[in-house]
Amino acid sequence: MKYWSAHLEFTIFFTCVVIKGRSGSPDASEVANTLHVTSGNVSNEESLPVDSKGYILFCPCMGRFGNQMSQYIGAIAFAKGLDRTLVLPPFIKYRPYSVGSERVPFTDYFDLQLIQSYHKTIPMEQFMEQLAPKIWPPGKRTGYCYGNGGGCPRMKEGNPFGPFWDQFDVNFDSYHNYVLPYETLQDPGNAQRWHNTFPVANHLVLAFSGAPGSFPVAKRNRALQRYFKWSQNITSSVNSFIRAHLDEQPFVGIHLRMGSDWMRACEHLKDSNYGMTNMMESPQCLENGGKLGYDTCYPSQEAILEQTAAAVKKIQAKAIFVASDSDRDYMMDMLQEKCKVKVVTRMPSYEQVDLAILSQSDHFIGNCVSSFTAIVKRDRDVFGKPSSFWNHLVEQQYQ
């Protein structure tokens, strides 16, 4: 028997570009004359202190939620390396079959207190309302773009760039280009180059067109996933679903990235002319051996059935939870017939809840290339939970 649980809609995201510039924030000494200055964490008080070390803003404009999470991890590592407060932007959400985008506050998805225990942060909504009018006012707003200049597009050009900044009534008055590395947390020399190039006295607020971090997530930063704890609303939804449909623990969680857009992307791995040894988040599995192929990116139905059955047998699972970006009914029927256990999903899917359920499974199987899978894998690695990938080192996983 199959089970469904209704929640919010599945979301689709797109990709983005970067920008150009000169200087523009008020001098730090000028700010100190008007507001109390501190280098400590910001609070929820009506009158917020100003971080004299400066601030970092960015638009998480690259791709869907999985990619945006990768950007967040890179950005907080970068901010900690520079000892600047990270302004937490809203996530960008696209509704299927509609034009435009929406913004979802960070705190709708994640707990603010835990991330602040790692590094000083402030939600963008709070920053723009309480701090920006005095430390980053209209007329003195500079955008920062990676590159040597000359070809950098405007920071508000197109979707999601324009709608993202327009939500906060931000227009840029000048631009700065830079060619500097983002690896500041592990390399103090790089951090010093940023301090020298953009001293806080003249660049109190660094507003980037995209995330100041690498994609995919650098191996050294993956453990930072531990500071992204799901919000209470998401956690409650997860606990309710597990109690209602997965109470016969243990269970196997699987992520099926099977949409037509994904199949077309994986087709590149069939063409030797591309010479691809890595693709998207594939370093998360390739660093332990094996190689990237089409069947790793887009596994066959037979491979999914066999590998899931092996995982069910290994942990004596009583159920399987399926998260997918496409119609999963046919796979659920086949999984139930093959594995002889309850198979459940959530329809319509709400991806943040799906991710949190997968993180709680007793064994997880995901897609080596997918950034959606990567969120679950990073979270499980923090707590020592077992994970595996479709068609990757299968013999070693299920012995």
Side-chain angles (χ1 to χ4, degrees):
M1 183 181 297
K2 294 179 289 187
Y3 297 81
W4 291 266
S5 176
H7 212 285
L8 304 182
E9 72 289 341
F10 179 74
T11 56
I12 300 177
F13 299 83
F14 297 91
T15 53
C16 77
V17 285
V18 283
I19 162 133
K20 177 177 180 175
R22 340 179 242 136
S23 71
S25 295
D27 188 283
S29 61
E30 176 187 337
V31 173
N33 289 331
T34 58
L35 291 174
H36 174 59
V37 176
T38 178
S39 58
N41 286 334
V42 297
S43 69
N44 291 322
E45 299 173 2
E46 186 173 334
S47 179
L48 289 177
V50 175
D51 185 354
S52 62
K53 300 295 184 67
Y55 295 84
I56 290 171
L57 282 71
F58 73 97
C59 176
C61 291
M62 186 185 71
R64 307 195 301 178
F65 181 74
N67 288 17
Q68 292 179 47
M69 270 303 308
S70 298
Q71 296 170 72
Y72 250 102
I73 289 176
I76 198 164
F78 175 75
K80 190 170 182 68
L82 295 186
D83 197 22
R84 287 173 174 258
T85 292
L86 180 65
V87 178
L88 302 170
F91 287 90
I92 299 174
K93 174 180 176 179
Y94 303 83
R95 290 189 180 276
Y97 316 113
S98 63
V99 178
S101 58
E102 299 176 9
R103 271 66 54 202
V104 180
F106 177 89
T107 51
D108 279 17
Y109 291 158
F110 295 105
D111 176 74
L112 184 61
Q113 187 173 2
L114 184 59
I115 199 169
Q116 288 181 333
S117 73
Y118 173 70
H119 184 62
K120 51 195 177 183
T121 63
I122 179 173
M124 191 165 179
E125 295 80 5
Q126 189 178 11
F127 174 85
M128 293 303 301
E129 180 181 348
Q130 300 184 35
L131 288 176
K134 291 189 176 180
I135 69 170
W136 200 51
K140 295 186 177 181
R141 291 174 173 171
T142 298
Y144 296 77
C145 166
Y146 186 88
N148 290 308
C152 213
R154 295 283 178 192
M155 284 183 76
K156 295 183 61 176
E157 188 174 284
N159 181 40
F161 302 99
F164 175 84
W165 295 110
D166 282 343
Q167 177 181 352
F168 301 100
D169 296 322
V170 171
N171 291 300
F172 293 97
D173 307 290
S174 58
Y175 301 94
H176 263 302
N177 282 97
Y178 63 89
V179 182
L180 295 169
Y182 296 130
E183 293 74 25
T184 58
L185 183 56
Q186 294 81 12
D187 191 333
N190 286 340
Q192 191 57 51
R193 291 174 63 189
W194 278 93
H195 295 321
N196 293 342
T197 305
F198 300 115
V200 69
N202 299 316
H203 303 270
L204 185 65
V205 177
L206 299 178
F208 294 99
S209 59
S214 63
F215 179 83
V217 175
K219 182 178 181 179
R220 58 187 170 273
N221 292 333
R222 289 177 195 163
L224 296 181
Q225 187 71 47
R226 72 168 64 242
Y227 298 105
F228 291 82
K229 176 185 175 184
W230 296 111
S231 68
Q232 185 57 51
N233 285 341
I234 290 176
T235 300
S236 295
S237 295
V238 170
N239 292 340
S240 295
F241 183 87
I242 289 177
R243 282 194 302 268
H245 304 299
L246 293 165
D247 54 347
E248 301 173 75
Q249 301 259 358
F251 72 96
V252 172
I254 67 173
H255 173 218
L256 301 178
R257 189 73 164 90
M258 306 294 287
S260 57
D261 62 330
W262 187 255
M263 181 173 63
R264 288 191 295 271
C266 295
E267 289 285 342
H268 294 311
L269 294 169
K270 288 183 174 181
D271 190 343
S272 59
N273 292 328
Y274 282 93
M276 298 177 71
T277 57
N278 274 309
M279 183 178 180
M280 302 182 196
E281 288 281 2
S282 65
Q284 67 180 330
C285 66
L286 298 182
E287 62 195 20
N288 296 320
K291 62 180 182 179
L292 183 63
Y294 177 78
D295 60 346
T296 313
C297 185
Y298 201 86
S300 66
Q301 294 180 11
E302 293 75 14
I304 292 169
L305 294 172
E306 291 297 326
Q307 199 166 334
T308 305
V312 167
K313 180 179 179 181
K314 181 176 181 179
I315 69 167
Q316 296 297 295
K318 303 300 181 183
I320 301 167
F321 174 74
V322 181
S324 181
D325 62 333
S326 60
D327 179 20
R328 65 211 73 175
D329 281 1
Y330 71 99
M331 280 305 306
M332 292 180 66
D333 290 335
M334 289 189 288
L335 283 166
Q336 193 166 46
E337 182 178 349
K338 175 74 174 178
C339 301
K340 309 302 182 187
V341 297
K342 180 167 60 176
V343 181
V344 300
T345 192
R346 299 179 66 261
M347 291 294 288
S349 175
Y350 181 48
E351 57 185 340
Q352 287 74 29
V353 176
D354 285 356
L355 285 163
I357 293 172
L358 291 172
S359 291
Q360 292 200 30
S361 63
D362 296 271
H363 187 89
F364 168 64
I365 311 174
N367 191 299
C368 167
V369 181
S370 166
S371 59
F372 187 97
T373 280
I375 296 173
V376 181
K377 178 65 163 59
R378 290 192 300 264
D379 188 64
R380 295 176 66 84
D381 285 351
V382 166
F383 298 102
K385 295 181 179 180
S387 303
S388 55
F389 301 97
W390 302 116
N391 285 322
H392 180 73
L393 304 179
V394 175
E395 295 79 8
Q396 299 177 24
Q397 295 288 342
Y398 304 109
Q399 292 177 348

